[in-house]
Amino acid sequence: MAGQKRIIAGTGCAPLSERGNDLYETPPVAVHALLRVEPLPKVVWEPSCGPGSIVNVLRNAGHTVFASDLVDYGCPDSRSRVDFLMERSVPDGVEAIVTNPPFKLAGEFVSHALALGVRKVVMLLRIQFIESDKRSSILDDGSWARIYPFSNRLPMMHRAGWEGPKAPSAMTFAWFIWEAGHHGLAALRRISWEPEP
C-alpha cells in the first residue's frame, strides 16, 4: 500500500495526526435545517467558527454572532487565537453557544459550554456521541433537551485542505440541544437538510 494514506478502520477519517485542527466546515444547509426547528436567542457565540459557515447563516437570519476560533480561518468580524476551553466567561449578552466543535474535543466543548452557564448549548455532533459512558454527566443529567438527527446524510464535510475525491458522507450527524431549566429526557425529532417543498 505504498503511497496510500492510512485510514482508521471503521471511521472513514484520517488519523488524528493528519487532521490538524480538526476543521470540517459545516454545510450551510445544516444550519438552515436547525433554524427551521429550533428557536435561537438573538445573541449567540460561535466559538469554533472556522471560515464562518455557521456564523454567516445565523447573521443572515438576523442573529448577532460573536465569532471566535483558535486559528484565523478568515471568518468576517471574528477573533482568532481564542481557545474556547480556556475561556472563563461568555461575551456580554450571549444567551447561547452554537457550534460544530472539533470532534476530538466534542465532549470537552459540551462540558465547558454548560459550565459557562449559558441558557442554551447547540452542537452539531456525530450521532455516535451518545454511545460513550464517559459522557454520562452531560447526557444523563437532565439538561440535554433535544436531538435533531438528520433523516438524510449531510453533504460531506471534508477537512480543511482535503485534496482527495469528494465522496458522500458515511457519517450521521445530529444537532444536540442542552437547555437551562430542562429536566427529563431528551426529545427526538428527525429533520432534513433539504428545503421543504
Side-chain angles (χ1 to χ4, degrees), residues 3 6 16-17 21 27-28 31 38 58 81 92 102 106 113 117 119 121 132 143 150 156-157 163 172 190 194 197:
R6 184 175 72 84
L16 190 57
S17 62
N21 291 313
V31 186
E38 183 69 28
L58 293 180
R81 300 182 66 149
D92 287 342
R119 301 239 356 110
V121 173
S132 174
S143 66
F150 286 91
M156 186 62 165
M157 293 189 283
E163 300 288 331
T172 53
R190 291 175 3 118
E194 295 178 311

PDB file of all heavy atoms in Angstrom, residues 3 6 16-17 21 27-28 31 38 58 81 92 102 106 113 117 119 121 132 143 150 156-157 163 172 190 194 197:
ATOM      1  N   GLY A   3       2.376   4.702  -0.750  1.00  0.00           N
ATOM      2  CA  GLY A   3       1.826   5.931  -1.294  1.00  0.00           C
ATOM      3  C   GLY A   3       0.390   6.209  -0.893  1.00  0.00           C
ATOM      4  O   GLY A   3      -0.136   7.255  -1.208  1.00  0.00           O
ATOM      5  N   ARG A   6      -3.074   6.073   5.381  1.00  0.00           N
ATOM      6  CA  ARG A   6      -3.740   5.120   6.256  1.00  0.00           C
ATOM      7  C   ARG A   6      -5.045   5.727   6.742  1.00  0.00           C
ATOM      8  O   ARG A   6      -5.097   6.870   7.175  1.00  0.00           O
ATOM      9  CB  ARG A   6      -2.841   4.795   7.454  1.00  0.00           C
ATOM     10  CG  ARG A   6      -3.418   3.730   8.358  1.00  0.00           C
ATOM     11  CD  ARG A   6      -2.438   3.372   9.450  1.00  0.00           C
ATOM     12  NE  ARG A   6      -2.309   4.422  10.440  1.00  0.00           N
ATOM     13  CZ  ARG A   6      -3.130   4.576  11.476  1.00  0.00           C
ATOM     14  NH1 ARG A   6      -4.142   3.782  11.640  1.00  0.00           N
ATOM     15  NH2 ARG A   6      -2.920   5.539  12.354  1.00  0.00           N
ATOM     16  N   LEU A  16      -5.630  11.099  13.450  1.00  0.00           N
ATOM     17  CA  LEU A  16      -5.610  12.383  14.143  1.00  0.00           C
ATOM     18  C   LEU A  16      -4.403  13.221  13.750  1.00  0.00           C
ATOM     19  O   LEU A  16      -4.512  14.435  13.586  1.00  0.00           O
ATOM     20  CB  LEU A  16      -5.625  12.139  15.650  1.00  0.00           C
ATOM     21  CG  LEU A  16      -5.832  13.343  16.545  1.00  0.00           C
ATOM     22  CD1 LEU A  16      -7.125  14.067  16.214  1.00  0.00           C
ATOM     23  CD2 LEU A  16      -5.830  12.925  18.002  1.00  0.00           C
ATOM     24  N   SER A  17      -3.252  12.580  13.545  1.00  0.00           N
ATOM     25  CA  SER A  17      -2.037  13.318  13.201  1.00  0.00           C
ATOM     26  C   SER A  17      -2.169  14.060  11.869  1.00  0.00           C
ATOM     27  O   SER A  17      -1.492  15.043  11.640  1.00  0.00           O
ATOM     28  CB  SER A  17      -0.839  12.369  13.150  1.00  0.00           C
ATOM     29  OG  SER A  17      -1.035  11.396  12.136  1.00  0.00           O
ATOM     30  N   ASN A  21      -6.108  20.797  13.011  1.00  0.00           N
ATOM     31  CA  ASN A  21      -7.017  21.418  13.973  1.00  0.00           C
ATOM     32  C   ASN A  21      -8.440  20.893  13.886  1.00  0.00           C
ATOM     33  O   ASN A  21      -9.346  21.432  14.496  1.00  0.00           O
ATOM     34  CB  ASN A  21      -6.994  22.935  13.803  1.00  0.00           C
ATOM     35  CG  ASN A  21      -5.677  23.513  14.227  1.00  0.00           C
ATOM     36  OD1 ASN A  21      -5.155  23.190  15.284  1.00  0.00           O
ATOM     37  ND2 ASN A  21      -5.103  24.354  13.373  1.00  0.00           N
ATOM     38  N   PRO A  27     -21.923  22.318   6.523  1.00  0.00           N
ATOM     39  CA  PRO A  27     -22.699  22.735   5.343  1.00  0.00           C
ATOM     40  C   PRO A  27     -23.777  23.738   5.763  1.00  0.00           C
ATOM     41  O   PRO A  27     -24.506  23.501   6.736  1.00  0.00           O
ATOM     42  CB  PRO A  27     -23.346  21.429   4.853  1.00  0.00           C
ATOM     43  CG  PRO A  27     -22.569  20.330   5.484  1.00  0.00           C
ATOM     44  CD  PRO A  27     -22.037  20.877   6.777  1.00  0.00           C
ATOM     45  N   PRO A  28     -23.901  24.860   5.073  1.00  0.00           N
ATOM     46  CA  PRO A  28     -24.935  25.842   5.434  1.00  0.00           C
ATOM     47  C   PRO A  28     -26.335  25.239   5.527  1.00  0.00           C
ATOM     48  O   PRO A  28     -27.144  25.663   6.349  1.00  0.00           O
ATOM     49  CB  PRO A  28     -24.833  26.890   4.326  1.00  0.00           C
ATOM     50  CG  PRO A  28     -23.399  26.803   3.876  1.00  0.00           C
ATOM     51  CD  PRO A  28     -23.051  25.332   3.967  1.00  0.00           C
ATOM     52  N   VAL A  31     -27.386  24.313   8.990  1.00  0.00           N
ATOM     53  CA  VAL A  31     -27.780  25.423   9.860  1.00  0.00           C
ATOM     54  C   VAL A  31     -29.196  25.880   9.511  1.00  0.00           C
ATOM     55  O   VAL A  31     -30.012  26.166  10.400  1.00  0.00           O
ATOM     56  CB  VAL A  31     -26.777  26.590   9.763  1.00  0.00           C
ATOM     57  CG1 VAL A  31     -27.103  27.671  10.784  1.00  0.00           C
ATOM     58  CG2 VAL A  31     -25.350  26.089   9.943  1.00  0.00           C
ATOM     59  N   GLU A  38     -35.629  24.922  15.639  1.00  0.00           N
ATOM     60  CA  GLU A  38     -35.170  25.312  16.981  1.00  0.00           C
ATOM     61  C   GLU A  38     -35.045  26.824  17.081  1.00  0.00           C
ATOM     62  O   GLU A  38     -34.235  27.428  16.384  1.00  0.00           O
ATOM     63  CB  GLU A  38     -33.817  24.667  17.280  1.00  0.00           C
ATOM     64  CG  GLU A  38     -33.276  24.937  18.656  1.00  0.00           C
ATOM     65  CD  GLU A  38     -34.058  24.279  19.776  1.00  0.00           C
ATOM     66  OE1 GLU A  38     -34.683  23.228  19.564  1.00  0.00           O
ATOM     67  OE2 GLU A  38     -34.044  24.837  20.897  1.00  0.00           O
ATOM     68  N   LEU A  58     -26.360  32.327  10.442  1.00  0.00           N
ATOM     69  CA  LEU A  58     -27.037  32.945  11.590  1.00  0.00           C
ATOM     70  C   LEU A  58     -27.119  34.460  11.450  1.00  0.00           C
ATOM     71  O   LEU A  58     -28.157  35.062  11.738  1.00  0.00           O
ATOM     72  CB  LEU A  58     -26.328  32.564  12.888  1.00  0.00           C
ATOM     73  CG  LEU A  58     -26.405  31.092  13.291  1.00  0.00           C
ATOM     74  CD1 LEU A  58     -25.659  30.850  14.600  1.00  0.00           C
ATOM     75  CD2 LEU A  58     -27.849  30.618  13.395  1.00  0.00           C
ATOM     76  N   ARG A  81      -7.155  33.160  17.762  1.00  0.00           N
ATOM     77  CA  ARG A  81      -6.285  32.865  18.903  1.00  0.00           C
ATOM     78  C   ARG A  81      -7.078  32.853  20.214  1.00  0.00           C
ATOM     79  O   ARG A  81      -6.557  33.195  21.271  1.00  0.00           O
ATOM     80  CB  ARG A  81      -5.116  33.840  18.966  1.00  0.00           C
ATOM     81  CG  ARG A  81      -4.257  33.779  17.687  1.00  0.00           C
ATOM     82  CD  ARG A  81      -3.107  34.674  17.775  1.00  0.00           C
ATOM     83  NE  ARG A  81      -2.234  34.160  18.844  1.00  0.00           N
ATOM     84  CZ  ARG A  81      -0.936  34.264  18.885  1.00  0.00           C
ATOM     85  NH1 ARG A  81      -0.323  34.875  17.911  1.00  0.00           N
ATOM     86  NH2 ARG A  81      -0.244  33.792  19.879  1.00  0.00           N
ATOM     87  N   ASP A  92     -20.536  39.485  26.618  1.00  0.00           N
ATOM     88  CA  ASP A  92     -21.738  40.155  27.133  1.00  0.00           C
ATOM     89  C   ASP A  92     -22.930  39.929  26.219  1.00  0.00           C
ATOM     90  O   ASP A  92     -22.828  40.087  24.999  1.00  0.00           O
ATOM     91  CB  ASP A  92     -21.502  41.668  27.268  1.00  0.00           C
ATOM     92  CG  ASP A  92     -20.583  42.004  28.432  1.00  0.00           C
ATOM     93  OD1 ASP A  92     -20.417  41.136  29.332  1.00  0.00           O
ATOM     94  OD2 ASP A  92     -20.040  43.122  28.447  1.00  0.00           O
ATOM     95  N   PRO A 102     -14.553  20.769  17.166  1.00  0.00           N
ATOM     96  CA  PRO A 102     -13.616  19.754  16.682  1.00  0.00           C
ATOM     97  C   PRO A 102     -14.015  18.405  17.292  1.00  0.00           C
ATOM     98  O   PRO A 102     -14.212  18.322  18.510  1.00  0.00           O
ATOM     99  CB  PRO A 102     -12.258  20.213  17.217  1.00  0.00           C
ATOM    100  CG  PRO A 102     -12.443  21.643  17.590  1.00  0.00           C
ATOM    101  CD  PRO A 102     -13.891  21.821  17.928  1.00  0.00           C
ATOM    102  N   ALA A 106     -15.086  17.188  21.245  1.00  0.00           N
ATOM    103  CA  ALA A 106     -16.528  17.427  21.342  1.00  0.00           C
ATOM    104  C   ALA A 106     -17.033  17.344  22.777  1.00  0.00           C
ATOM    105  O   ALA A 106     -17.775  18.224  23.231  1.00  0.00           O
ATOM    106  CB  ALA A 106     -17.286  16.442  20.447  1.00  0.00           C
ATOM    107  N   ALA A 113     -19.070  24.443  27.654  1.00  0.00           N
ATOM    108  CA  ALA A 113     -20.182  25.343  27.332  1.00  0.00           C
ATOM    109  C   ALA A 113     -21.227  25.306  28.441  1.00  0.00           C
ATOM    110  O   ALA A 113     -21.744  26.344  28.858  1.00  0.00           O
ATOM    111  CB  ALA A 113     -20.802  24.961  25.988  1.00  0.00           C
ATOM    112  N   GLY A 117     -22.486  28.398  31.798  1.00  0.00           N
ATOM    113  CA  GLY A 117     -23.779  28.841  32.291  1.00  0.00           C
ATOM    114  C   GLY A 117     -24.691  29.540  31.302  1.00  0.00           C
ATOM    115  O   GLY A 117     -25.601  30.252  31.716  1.00  0.00           O
ATOM    116  N   ARG A 119     -27.801  29.851  28.609  1.00  0.00           N
ATOM    117  CA  ARG A 119     -29.147  29.246  28.656  1.00  0.00           C
ATOM    118  C   ARG A 119     -29.293  28.081  27.693  1.00  0.00           C
ATOM    119  O   ARG A 119     -30.062  27.162  27.949  1.00  0.00           O
ATOM    120  CB  ARG A 119     -30.200  30.301  28.335  1.00  0.00           C
ATOM    121  CG  ARG A 119     -30.187  31.455  29.278  1.00  0.00           C
ATOM    122  CD  ARG A 119     -31.444  31.743  30.059  1.00  0.00           C
ATOM    123  NE  ARG A 119     -32.622  30.970  29.823  1.00  0.00           N
ATOM    124  CZ  ARG A 119     -33.121  30.080  30.703  1.00  0.00           C
ATOM    125  NH1 ARG A 119     -32.523  29.819  31.819  1.00  0.00           N
ATOM    126  NH2 ARG A 119     -34.243  29.446  30.427  1.00  0.00           N
ATOM    127  N   VAL A 121     -27.161  25.449  24.754  1.00  0.00           N
ATOM    128  CA  VAL A 121     -25.956  24.953  24.086  1.00  0.00           C
ATOM    129  C   VAL A 121     -26.423  24.108  22.910  1.00  0.00           C
ATOM    130  O   VAL A 121     -27.211  23.170  23.087  1.00  0.00           O
ATOM    131  CB  VAL A 121     -25.074  24.120  25.041  1.00  0.00           C
ATOM    132  CG1 VAL A 121     -23.915  23.476  24.289  1.00  0.00           C
ATOM    133  CG2 VAL A 121     -24.580  24.984  26.196  1.00  0.00           C
ATOM    134  N   SER A 132     -21.022   6.951  24.410  1.00  0.00           N
ATOM    135  CA  SER A 132     -19.928   6.869  25.370  1.00  0.00           C
ATOM    136  C   SER A 132     -20.387   6.977  26.820  1.00  0.00           C
ATOM    137  O   SER A 132     -21.098   7.916  27.188  1.00  0.00           O
ATOM    138  CB  SER A 132     -18.914   7.978  25.077  1.00  0.00           C
ATOM    139  OG  SER A 132     -17.923   8.002  26.061  1.00  0.00           O
ATOM    140  N   SER A 143     -30.338  17.962  31.472  1.00  0.00           N
ATOM    141  CA  SER A 143     -30.327  19.238  30.738  1.00  0.00           C
ATOM    142  C   SER A 143     -30.246  19.044  29.223  1.00  0.00           C
ATOM    143  O   SER A 143     -30.465  19.992  28.477  1.00  0.00           O
ATOM    144  CB  SER A 143     -29.164  20.117  31.209  1.00  0.00           C
ATOM    145  OG  SER A 143     -27.924  19.539  30.874  1.00  0.00           O
ATOM    146  N   PHE A 150     -30.401  13.967  11.400  1.00  0.00           N
ATOM    147  CA  PHE A 150     -30.775  14.183  10.007  1.00  0.00           C
ATOM    148  C   PHE A 150     -31.297  12.885   9.413  1.00  0.00           C
ATOM    149  O   PHE A 150     -30.667  11.841   9.540  1.00  0.00           O
ATOM    150  CB  PHE A 150     -29.586  14.717   9.206  1.00  0.00           C
ATOM    151  CG  PHE A 150     -29.286  16.150   9.521  1.00  0.00           C
ATOM    152  CD1 PHE A 150     -28.376  16.480  10.522  1.00  0.00           C
ATOM    153  CD2 PHE A 150     -29.935  17.172   8.846  1.00  0.00           C
ATOM    154  CE1 PHE A 150     -28.123  17.801  10.835  1.00  0.00           C
ATOM    155  CE2 PHE A 150     -29.692  18.506   9.159  1.00  0.00           C
ATOM    156  CZ  PHE A 150     -28.781  18.812  10.152  1.00  0.00           C
ATOM    157  N   MET A 156     -21.079  15.916   2.379  1.00  0.00           N
ATOM    158  CA  MET A 156     -19.794  15.577   3.004  1.00  0.00           C
ATOM    159  C   MET A 156     -19.088  16.808   3.545  1.00  0.00           C
ATOM    160  O   MET A 156     -19.006  17.832   2.880  1.00  0.00           O
ATOM    161  CB  MET A 156     -18.886  14.877   1.983  1.00  0.00           C
ATOM    162  CG  MET A 156     -17.593  14.371   2.565  1.00  0.00           C
ATOM    163  SD  MET A 156     -17.898  13.135   3.815  1.00  0.00           S
ATOM    164  CE  MET A 156     -16.299  12.426   3.996  1.00  0.00           C
ATOM    165  N   MET A 157     -18.598  16.672   4.763  1.00  0.00           N
ATOM    166  CA  MET A 157     -17.794  17.721   5.381  1.00  0.00           C
ATOM    167  C   MET A 157     -16.339  17.266   5.304  1.00  0.00           C
ATOM    168  O   MET A 157     -15.906  16.444   6.112  1.00  0.00           O
ATOM    169  CB  MET A 157     -18.212  17.938   6.845  1.00  0.00           C
ATOM    170  CG  MET A 157     -19.596  18.504   6.977  1.00  0.00           C
ATOM    171  SD  MET A 157     -20.021  19.001   8.657  1.00  0.00           S
ATOM    172  CE  MET A 157     -20.344  17.434   9.418  1.00  0.00           C
ATOM    173  N   GLU A 163      -7.619  17.336  -0.496  1.00  0.00           N
ATOM    174  CA  GLU A 163      -7.429  17.414  -1.946  1.00  0.00           C
ATOM    175  C   GLU A 163      -7.973  16.177  -2.652  1.00  0.00           C
ATOM    176  O   GLU A 163      -7.937  16.104  -3.861  1.00  0.00           O
ATOM    177  CB  GLU A 163      -5.930  17.562  -2.271  1.00  0.00           C
ATOM    178  CG  GLU A 163      -5.281  18.802  -1.673  1.00  0.00           C
ATOM    179  CD  GLU A 163      -5.701  20.077  -2.365  1.00  0.00           C
ATOM    180  OE1 GLU A 163      -6.026  20.033  -3.560  1.00  0.00           O
ATOM    181  OE2 GLU A 163      -5.726  21.114  -1.690  1.00  0.00           O
ATOM    182  N   THR A 172     -23.284   9.944  10.209  1.00  0.00           N
ATOM    183  CA  THR A 172     -24.572  10.546  10.520  1.00  0.00           C
ATOM    184  C   THR A 172     -24.375  11.616  11.591  1.00  0.00           C
ATOM    185  O   THR A 172     -23.625  11.427  12.543  1.00  0.00           O
ATOM    186  CB  THR A 172     -25.570   9.485  11.014  1.00  0.00           C
ATOM    187  OG1 THR A 172     -24.985   8.763  12.094  1.00  0.00           O
ATOM    188  CG2 THR A 172     -25.918   8.521   9.907  1.00  0.00           C
ATOM    189  N   ARG A 190     -36.607  13.864  13.924  1.00  0.00           N
ATOM    190  CA  ARG A 190     -35.790  13.765  12.709  1.00  0.00           C
ATOM    191  C   ARG A 190     -36.055  14.976  11.821  1.00  0.00           C
ATOM    192  O   ARG A 190     -37.175  15.424  11.701  1.00  0.00           O
ATOM    193  CB  ARG A 190     -36.112  12.471  11.963  1.00  0.00           C
ATOM    194  CG  ARG A 190     -35.640  11.262  12.699  1.00  0.00           C
ATOM    195  CD  ARG A 190     -36.026   9.912  12.083  1.00  0.00           C
ATOM    196  NE  ARG A 190     -36.726   9.921  10.844  1.00  0.00           N
ATOM    197  CZ  ARG A 190     -36.274   9.381   9.689  1.00  0.00           C
ATOM    198  NH1 ARG A 190     -35.096   8.799   9.655  1.00  0.00           N
ATOM    199  NH2 ARG A 190     -36.995   9.409   8.603  1.00  0.00           N
ATOM    200  N   GLU A 194     -32.683  19.136   3.374  1.00  0.00           N
ATOM    201  CA  GLU A 194     -33.218  19.580   2.094  1.00  0.00           C
ATOM    202  C   GLU A 194     -34.363  20.562   2.343  1.00  0.00           C
ATOM    203  O   GLU A 194     -35.136  20.391   3.286  1.00  0.00           O
ATOM    204  CB  GLU A 194     -33.690  18.387   1.277  1.00  0.00           C
ATOM    205  CG  GLU A 194     -32.539  17.483   0.901  1.00  0.00           C
ATOM    206  CD  GLU A 194     -32.979  16.249   0.130  1.00  0.00           C
ATOM    207  OE1 GLU A 194     -33.908  15.570   0.554  1.00  0.00           O
ATOM    208  OE2 GLU A 194     -32.341  15.967  -0.888  1.00  0.00           O
ATOM    209  N   PRO A 197     -40.724  21.422   0.646  1.00  0.00           N
ATOM    210  CA  PRO A 197     -41.398  21.738  -0.635  1.00  0.00           C
ATOM    211  C   PRO A 197     -42.384  22.878  -0.512  1.00  0.00           C
ATOM    212  O   PRO A 197     -42.869  23.210   0.495  1.00  0.00           O
ATOM    213  CB  PRO A 197     -42.126  20.434  -0.987  1.00  0.00           C
ATOM    214  CG  PRO A 197     -42.106  19.565   0.222  1.00  0.00           C
ATOM    215  CD  PRO A 197     -41.105  20.131   1.175  1.00  0.00           C
TER     216      PRO A 197
END
